[in-house]
Amino acid sequence: MEKNYHVCTGCGLLCDDIEVESENNIVNKVYTACRVGVAHMKEARRGEADFLVDNKPVDEATAISEAASILKNARNPLIFGLGTSTSETQKIAIELAKKINATLDDTSSFCLGPLAEALIQDKLKTCTLDDVRNKADVIIYWGTDPSDSHPRLLSKHSYFPRGTEKQRGWEEERTAIAIDVRKSHTAKICGNYFFQIPPKGDAEFIDAMIAGLSGKLPKTSYNYPPKKILELANILKGAKFGVMFVGRGLIYSLENLEPLFKLMEILNEKANFHLIPMVSSSNTMGFNENLFAETGYVNSVKFENGTAKHGPEYSVVESLKAKSVDAALIIGSDPLLFLPGSIAKNMLEIPVISMDHCETLTSKHSKVYINTAINGVEAGGSSIRMDRVKMSFEPVIETNHLSEEVILKKIMEAL
Ligand code: SF4
């Protein structure tokens, strides 16, 4: 019987206080984690076979050689996924993409990529989750419902916990504010500080907040009560250490990030405000950072003779829509499930290699499927938390399944 602290890779928070009881390489009990983390560590569903080609079981050598042959024969292969992969795996995937002149992308090209890029380029003031716990007195959750998506954000990292400069914890020393189009679970916790706006109303609400912060009358076309916006502006102006957690709801609603840049600038003229993106997967931020370090771009690149081209046409959505890719290596992702059907169906016309620890819609329609070790449970490495802090972890249990890192190295060797 073993009992140790582990890092949970169930979401971008990478909680590092997880206790696990395991026996004979089976996780029996998970303590401290939220329900998502428990499911991730304990109930991960495994595919039935380790290696499949055309949905028939094969040995490792056959699967690796088939995968290498697909990539070698492709004119423009796509490598996509990697949001839950370790940074070590991501770096090998970038090398592989370079070697085979591939298009390389992850989900950030249609999620929080622009925000990650702005943070990596130091265009927005940010802080760590430890800073939030220790110092934050005003916390905004905008276009996000962490109570569902990152269940321990409020309890461990932001609103509820005691911190070095916030000994009395929530309510007495912190104000939590939710801005959203619906009354989410997080909005309910924020009570009177929930500001409900109409879909696509975020840019106007930002303008109204800026007006309120600048002592002008805030106006919106949807007639949001000016008094409420002025009350909000007064709370924000009084922040000694404010933080804004920004989710997809806000980013999808804005045409570009300019209104958000402007709001952060004004907030920092009047108070002290930081921004943290609500990155969902355990290492999407790592993908953005690792690719940026190599190419100067955070996603949507096409390698050609060692150099990287970048543009929306190299995103997974546009590449599949235009049918510009002729094979795909999908790592820890299920695009056939979550992309719009009209775009995803084009994947059915090209050979696909799927690497995942469980059977997915994409793996079922793949030419080659490789059943991988679960990152953070069966494979160790490092990931970048959503506040850009590097977290390293050891495997919780041993497995016979190969890690993504080992498989990519074997494919590289077989090319
Ligand atoms: Fe794991 Fe995220 Fe839950 Fe923390 S909040 S235990 S990282 S799933």
Side-chain angles (χ1 to χ4, degrees):
M1 186 81 73
E2 295 165 18
K3 194 171 179 182
N4 282 312
Y5 290 102
H6 296 281
V7 172
C8 173
T9 49
C11 79
L13 280 180
L14 293 168
C15 296
D16 61 354
D17 58 348
I18 311 300
E19 283 181 47
V20 170
E21 283 182 14
S22 63
E23 203 167 11
N24 299 327
N25 290 321
I26 294 172
V27 174
N28 290 324
K29 291 202 170 128
V30 182
Y31 303 97
T32 332
C34 68
R35 64 193 183 284
V36 179
V38 171
H40 172 66
M41 299 190 100
K42 198 175 162 191
E43 296 163 21
R45 187 168 55 90
R46 298 225 64 112
E48 282 175 13
D50 290 346
F51 304 97
L52 296 174
V53 171
D54 292 325
N55 281 315
K56 292 191 185 66
V58 294
D59 59 16
E60 178 192 317
T62 307
I64 297 286
S65 132
E66 186 68 29
S69 142
I70 289 170
L71 296 176
K72 209 164 22 180
N73 292 326
R75 182 184 39 81
N76 181 19
L78 167 72
I79 300 179
F80 174 76
L82 294 155
T84 57
S85 303
T86 61
S87 286
E88 293 73 18
T89 301
Q90 292 169 349
K91 286 174 188 170
I92 296 168
I94 294 169
E95 278 310 301
L96 174 62
K98 254 188 187 174
K99 189 166 179 176
I100 58 176
N101 288 330
T103 295
L104 176 62
D105 194 28
D106 78 328
T107 54
S108 73
S109 61
F110 52 87
C111 290
L112 297 178
L115 202 49
E117 186 173 25
L119 287 159
I120 291 169
Q121 293 175 335
D122 289 329
K123 290 183 180 169
L124 287 162
K125 188 167 163 183
T126 189
C127 64
T128 67
L129 291 169
D130 290 342
D131 292 331
V132 179
R133 188 181 61 249
N134 289 328
K135 302 181 202 170
D137 56 352
V138 178
I139 304 163
I140 304 173
Y141 306 100
W142 196 328
T144 180
D145 185 11
S147 294
D148 277 354
S149 61
H150 300 62
R152 296 183 75 208
L153 179 64
L154 273 77
S155 62
K156 176 173 155 59
H157 298 282
S158 60
Y159 186 36
F160 294 113
R162 288 191 166 85
T164 50
E165 295 174 34
K166 290 282 165 268
Q167 284 296 314
R168 291 202 296 280
W170 64 296
E171 273 202 328
E172 280 185 67
E173 290 195 290
R174 303 196 205 265
T175 303
I177 295 159
I179 304 172
D180 213 331
V181 295
R182 67 186 175 93
K183 194 165 191 175
S184 64
H185 290 121
T186 305
K188 284 181 194 157
I189 292 169
C190 295
N192 289 335
Y193 298 114
F194 168 46
F195 296 80
Q196 186 163 13
I197 57 175
K200 289 278 177 190
D202 300 72
E204 268 195 70
F205 197 76
I206 288 178
D207 282 347
M209 281 171 73
I210 291 172
L213 286 162
S214 313
K216 296 179 191 152
L217 186 67
K219 288 185 202 157
T220 58
S221 64
Y222 44 86
N223 295 322
Y224 204 92
K227 197 172 159 210
K228 274 206 84 178
I229 298 177
L230 288 170
E231 279 169 16
L232 173 61
N234 274 337
I235 295 169
L236 303 186
K237 270 195 247 183
K240 291 193 174 58
F241 194 103
V243 60
M244 194 190 295
F245 288 101
V246 170
R248 275 179 279 181
L250 174 55
I251 299 305
Y252 285 168
S253 167
L254 299 176
E255 280 176 18
N256 57 57
L257 293 187
E258 285 311 314
L260 195 54
F261 289 147
K262 185 76 187 154
L263 177 61
M264 285 296 288
E265 190 186 318
I266 302 284
L267 279 172
N268 278 300
E269 282 170 13
K270 313 281 175 190
N272 174 26
F273 256 87
H274 311 79
L275 186 147
I276 297 180
M278 291 297 298
V279 177
S280 318
S281 297
S282 57
N283 204 21
T284 299
M285 188 55 91
F287 179 87
N288 296 144
E289 289 204 359
N290 290 321
L291 189 61
F292 187 85
E294 184 66 34
T295 66
Y297 308 111
V298 297
N299 53 36
S300 308
V301 297
K302 157 79 178 151
F303 286 99
E304 244 172 45
N305 303 323
T307 56
K309 294 193 286 186
H310 167 73
E313 67 272 34
Y314 305 122
S315 70
V316 63
V317 170
E318 294 304 324
S319 303
L320 287 172
K321 202 197 249 176
K323 298 190 179 184
S324 59
V325 288
D326 54 355
L329 169 59
I330 310 295
I331 304 168
S333 189
D334 193 4
L336 213 46
L337 181 76
F338 63 71
L339 286 180
S342 59
I343 292 166
K345 72 176 172 38
N346 293 344
M347 281 180 68
L348 302 175
E349 297 174 16
I350 58 176
V352 173
I353 305 149
S354 167
M355 290 167 48
D356 214 309
H357 65 264
C358 60
E359 214 172 59
T360 63
L361 192 58
T362 302
S363 77
K364 280 188 198 161
H365 288 87
S366 294
K367 175 86 179 161
V368 180
Y369 166 60
I370 301 177
N371 192 331
T372 56
I374 305 167
N375 292 312
V377 181
E378 298 170 325
S382 65
S383 292
I384 307 292
R385 212 165 58 178
M386 64 188 217
D387 58 348
R388 301 188 58 206
V389 171
K390 181 180 173 181
M391 307 289 289
S392 298
F393 44 86
E394 298 291 325
V396 178
I397 52 174
E398 288 176 15
T399 180
N400 292 329
H401 293 90
L402 300 178
S403 68
E404 293 173 344
E405 192 181 340
V406 169
I407 292 164
L408 286 184
K409 281 181 182 162
K410 284 179 184 264
I411 292 176
M412 291 264 271
E413 282 162 15
L415 280 171

